[in-house]
C-alpha cells in the first residue's frame, strides 16, 4: 500500500477501507508517513469529507494508537467534558471543580490551543508551578482525594491525535466535521470516563459556523460514543462572540476564578451552570433542576473555588494565585482600542478576535511558538452594546510592543458598528442525545 494512492483516493472523494485506515494511522504514528503526506491527506478530507463508517473506524484506530486508560482505580462515576473549542472558553476551569465539589469525579485530560482557539492546558500552565504532566498514579490519587485533576494528554494517550492535532493547527485543516469528531472522540474513549458531556460551539468563533453543522458534528460524536458503550450528551452553545470578557491564558484563569466566586460575566456563568448541571445529571445526581441548584449552591458557598485551589496545589501550582488572582502577572504593554464611530456593536467576529489575541502572543503561530501567558484581550464592550466614537471597546495586552499594530488592526476588522442593533442569539441552541435532538 502507498500513502500517495490513499491521498489520491481521498482527493477523488472515495471512502477508505478499514485496512487502508489502519495503514494510515499505524504508519503516521510510527513516522513512516511524513507530515507533508499526512497534511495533504488531511486537506483532502477537509474538502471531500468521510463517511460515518470511515469516521468511526478512524476514531477507533486513533483511540487504540496508544494506551486505553482504565479508571477503575477511581471510585464512583467518572464524568468527562470536552469543548470543540472557542475564543474565551475557560469553562473547564469553572465546571470541573464545581462538579467535583458535588461529589462526582472528574479525571480530565485536556488539550492545548488549536488554531484561533485557546486550550485548557495552556491556561492551567499560566498558574505558576502548575504541572500538567503528572504520572498516572498521582493523577488517580488526586482525583480520589480531591475529586478532580486535569492533565495534558499523557505521552502515550492517542499519539495519533497528538501528532495530527499539532499538524492540523498549522496547516489550516481543523474545521472538518470528521476530523474534529475523530480527534475528540478518540481522546474521550481512550481517557476512560463513563459519561461524556460535549460542548459543541457554534458561530463565528467556533470551527462550526452554523447551528446545523454543529448539530451534525454533535450527532456524529454522540453516536460514536454511545456505540462504544458510553453515556454521551452534547449541548450546542453560542460562540458567535467570545465567551466572557477575557481572552488569553492568565486573563482567562482570572475570569474563571471570578466566576467561581459568583462574580463572573453573565454569559460565562450561565453556560457553566448548564454544562455542570448536565454533567451531574448524567452522573445520576438528580433531575436537571436539582442539578442546577447544586451547581449554584457550590458557587455561592465558595466550595468549588476551594476545590480549584486544592487541585492547583496538588499539581504543584501555587494556590495563592487562585485565592488572590491579583497576583497574576499581565503583560506590560497595554493598548486601548477605541470605537471608530457611534452606534451599536452589531457583530464581533470571534475568530478574528481569537487571531488578534494569538498575534499578541497568547497563542501559537507555529508548532514551536512559546506562549506569552500574560498576553491577551479584555473586552470592555461586547455585541449589542451601544458605543460612542472614542469609547474604549477593548484593552490589548502583550509583552512585545511590535506586535500591537497588526493585532489591533485585526481586532478592529473583527468588530462591526452599525446604527441598529442585531438579533440577540440564545446562549444554548440545542441538546443532542443518541435518540433526540432538542432545539431551544
Ligand atoms: N478539539 C479537539 O480536541 N480536536 C479538534 O479537532 C477540535 C477541537
Amino acid at each position: 500500500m502507498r500513502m500517495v494512492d490513499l491521498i489520491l483516493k481521498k482527493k477523488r472523494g472515495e471512502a477508505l477501507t478499514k485496512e487502508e485506515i489502519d495503514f494510515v494511522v499505524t504508519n503516521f504514528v510510527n513516522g513512516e508517513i511524513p507530515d507533508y503526506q499526512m497534511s495533504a491527506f488531511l486537506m483532502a478530507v477537509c474538502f471531500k469529507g468521510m463517511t460515518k463508517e470511515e469516521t468511526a473506524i478512524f476514531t477507533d484506530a486513533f483511540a487504540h494508537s496508544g494506551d486505553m486508560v482504565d479508571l477503575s482505580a477511581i471510585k464512583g462515576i467518572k464524568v468527562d467534558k470536552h469543548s470543540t473549542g472557542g475564543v474565551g472558553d475557560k469553562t473547564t476551569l469553572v465546571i470541573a471543580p464545581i462538579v467535583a465539589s458535588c461529589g462526582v469525579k472528574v479525571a480530565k485530560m485536556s488539550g492545548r490551543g488549536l488554531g484561533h482557539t485557546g486550550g485548557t492546558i495552556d491556561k492551567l500552565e499560566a498558574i505558576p508551578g502548575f504541572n500538567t504532566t503528572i504520572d498516572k498514579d498521582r493523577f488517580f490519587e488526586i482525583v480520589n482525594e480531591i475529586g478532580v485533576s486535569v492533565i495534558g494528554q499523557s505521552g502515550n494517550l492517542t499519539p495519533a491525535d497528538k501528532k495530527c492535532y499539532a499538524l492540523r493547527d498549522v496547516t489550516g485543516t481543523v474545521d472538518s466535521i470528521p476530523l474534529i469528531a475523530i480527534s475528540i472522540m478518540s481522546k474521550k474513549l481512550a481517557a476512560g470516563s463513563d459519561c461524556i458531556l460535549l460542548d459543541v460551539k457554534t458561530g463565528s468563533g467556533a470551527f462550526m459556523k452554523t447551528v446545523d453543522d454543529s448539530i451534525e458534528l454533535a450527532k456524529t460524536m454522540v453516536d460514536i460514543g454511545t456505540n462504544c458503550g458510553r453515556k454521551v450528551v452534547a449541548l450546542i452553545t453560542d460562540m458567535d462572540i467570545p465567551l466572557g470578557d477575557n481572552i488569553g491564558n492568565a486573563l482567562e484563569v482570572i475570569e474563571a476564578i471570578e466566576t467561581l466566586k459568583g462574580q463572573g460575566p453573565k454569559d460565562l456563568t450561565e453556560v457553566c451552570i448548564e454544562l455542570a448541571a448536565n454533567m451531574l445529571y448524567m452522573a445520576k445526581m438528580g433531575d436537571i433542576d436539582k442539578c442546577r441548584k447544586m451547581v449554584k449552591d457550590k458557587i455561592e458557598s465558595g466550595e468549588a473555588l476551594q476545590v480549584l485551589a486544592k487541585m492547583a496545589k496538588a499539581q504543584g501550582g501555587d494556590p495563592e494565585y487562585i485565592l488572590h488572582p491579583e497576583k497574576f502577572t499581565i503583560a506590560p504593554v497595554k493598548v486601548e482600542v477605541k470605537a471608530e464611530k457611534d452606534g451599536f456593536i452589531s457583530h464581533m467576529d470571534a475568530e478574528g478576535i481569537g487571531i488578534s489575541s494569538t498575534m499578541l502572543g497568547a497563542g501559537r503561530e507555529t508548532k514551536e511558538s512559546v506562549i506569552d501567558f500574560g498576553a491577551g484581550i479584555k473586552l470592555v464592550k461586547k455585541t449589542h452594546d451601544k458605543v460612542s466614537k472614542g469609547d474604549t471597546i477593548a484593552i490589548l495586552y502583550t509583552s512585545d510592543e511590535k506586535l500591537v499594530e497588526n493585532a489591533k488592526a485585526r481586532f478592529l476588522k473583527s468588530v462591526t458598528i452599525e446604527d441598529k442593533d442585531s438579533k440577540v442569539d440564545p446562549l444554548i441552541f440545542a441538546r443532542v442525545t443518541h435518540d433526540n435532538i432538542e432545539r431551544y
Side-chain angles (χ1 to χ4, degrees):
M1 218 177 281
R2 296 186 327 148
M3 183 61 181
V4 65
D5 295 328
L6 303 181
I7 297 169
L8 288 165
K9 189 170 179 183
K10 187 44 72 188
K11 193 172 108 178
R12 292 192 297 271
E14 293 166 28
L16 270 58
T17 63
K18 178 168 178 353
E19 198 192 354
E20 289 167 338
I21 292 169
D22 287 341
F23 171 86
V24 173
V25 176
T26 307
N27 289 291
F28 177 55
V29 174
N30 71 20
E32 291 288 319
I33 294 175
D35 280 1
Y36 57 82
Q37 280 194 314
M38 193 61 180
S39 305
F41 179 77
L42 293 168
M43 190 56 88
V45 174
C46 285
F47 284 109
K48 298 293 182 178
M50 278 187 191
T51 63
K52 282 220 181 282
E53 203 185 359
E54 272 181 295
T55 310
I57 299 171
F58 256 108
T59 305
D60 187 60
F62 265 46
H64 286 90
S65 65
D67 300 336
M68 295 293 284
V69 181
D70 175 4
L71 293 182
S72 55
I74 299 170
K75 297 178 254 356
I77 296 180
K78 276 77 67 182
V79 183
D80 201 349
K81 169 253 167 196
H82 198 97
S83 157
T84 56
V87 178
D89 179 6
K90 67 282 290 172
T91 53
T92 294
L93 304 181
V94 182
I95 293 164
I98 293 177
V99 170
S101 68
C102 294
V104 174
K105 301 283 171 27
V106 184
K108 183 151 174 46
M109 290 172 199
S110 286
R112 296 193 179 276
L114 183 66
H116 64 280
T117 70
T120 302
I121 291 303
D122 296 330
K123 292 170 206 189
L124 286 171
E125 288 178 356
I127 303 168
F130 197 105
N131 183 359
T132 59
T133 57
I134 52 178
D135 69 34
K136 201 174 82 197
D137 290 342
R138 181 70 189 128
F139 176 56
F140 288 175
E141 216 172 77
I142 297 173
V143 180
N144 271 327
E145 269 167 31
I146 297 167
V148 56
S149 178
V150 183
I151 58 171
Q153 264 176 265
S154 72
N156 206 30
L157 189 95
T158 52
D161 180 61
K162 201 169 189 178
K163 272 189 93 174
C164 203
Y165 195 88
L167 202 54
R168 286 169 59 220
D169 190 20
V170 291
T171 54
T173 52
V174 175
D175 57 346
S176 145
I177 289 178
L179 294 181
I180 297 174
I182 293 164
S183 166
I184 293 179
M185 290 315 292
S186 61
K187 283 185 291 233
K188 297 296 102 179
L189 295 176
S193 282
D194 311 294
C195 309
I196 302 161
L197 180 75
L198 300 168
D199 177 10
V200 178
K201 301 286 184 197
T202 194
S204 64
F207 296 124
M208 296 296 108
K209 306 292 183 203
T210 67
V211 175
D212 286 345
D213 280 351
S214 304
I215 288 179
E216 188 184 332
L217 172 62
K219 189 77 177 80
T220 306
M221 295 195 288
V222 168
D223 288 350
I224 291 172
T226 310
N227 291 335
C228 291
R230 311 295 169 90
K231 200 163 177 180
V232 193
V233 170
L235 293 185
I236 312 294
T237 68
D238 185 43
M239 187 38 73
D240 206 42
I241 55 174
L243 188 58
D245 301 336
N246 290 6
I247 303 142
N249 299 288
L251 286 167
E252 292 195 40
V253 178
I254 294 170
E255 192 169 66
I257 294 167
E258 282 163 4
T259 307
L260 283 169
K261 286 180 173 167
Q263 294 156 7
K266 194 167 168 294
D267 58 347
L268 176 64
T269 304
E270 206 175 301
V271 169
C272 286
I273 290 173
E274 222 36 47
L275 292 170
N278 271 277
M279 288 170 80
L280 295 176
Y281 175 77
M282 281 200 284
K284 297 190 168 41
M285 297 295 282
D287 64 29
I288 197 77
D289 283 335
K290 182 175 173 210
C291 292
R292 281 193 194 107
K293 182 164 181 330
M294 286 173 78
V295 171
K296 289 179 193 165
D297 287 349
K298 294 297 175 186
I299 295 176
E300 213 162 285
S301 67
E303 284 171 73
L305 182 69
Q306 290 300 329
V307 170
L308 181 63
K310 280 186 197 159
M311 179 182 92
K313 183 161 184 239
Q315 294 191 222
D318 184 346
E320 289 301 306
Y321 279 74
I322 307 298
L323 302 172
H324 306 285
E326 61 282 0
K327 284 174 84 89
F328 280 96
T329 307
I330 301 305
V333 180
K334 182 177 162 192
V335 176
E336 295 192 5
V337 185
K338 310 275 185 193
E340 291 179 324
K341 58 179 184 174
D342 296 347
F344 287 92
I345 299 184
S346 58
H347 181 61
M348 276 188 151
D349 177 59
E351 178 170 352
I353 292 172
I355 293 170
S356 167
S357 175
T358 298
M359 290 165 89
L360 291 164
R364 292 180 187 79
E365 299 283 357
T366 67
K367 281 205 283 186
E368 291 74 29
S369 300
V370 176
I371 285 187
D372 175 0
F373 289 121
I377 300 174
K378 217 175 202 332
L379 299 173
V380 179
K381 303 279 183 195
K382 288 184 76 174
T383 310
H384 311 304
D385 281 342
K386 194 165 188 247
V387 290
S388 301
K389 186 174 174 188
D391 281 354
T392 300
I393 46 179
I395 306 169
L396 313 184
Y397 296 91
T398 180
S399 300
D400 183 351
E401 203 148 2
K402 292 191 294 301
L403 303 177
V404 170
E405 196 184 326
N406 288 340
K408 186 175 169 184
R410 191 71 178 85
F411 182 89
L412 278 170
K413 211 174 123 196
S414 311
V415 178
T416 311
I417 299 177
E418 288 179 310
D419 292 341
K420 275 199 189 134
D421 194 6
S422 54
K423 175 179 144 281
V424 180
D425 278 332
L427 277 172
I428 306 195
F429 288 88
R431 185 171 186 271
V432 178
T433 60
H434 187 52
D435 310 314
N436 196 22
I437 297 172
E438 191 184 350
R439 286 183 188 250
Y440 299 131

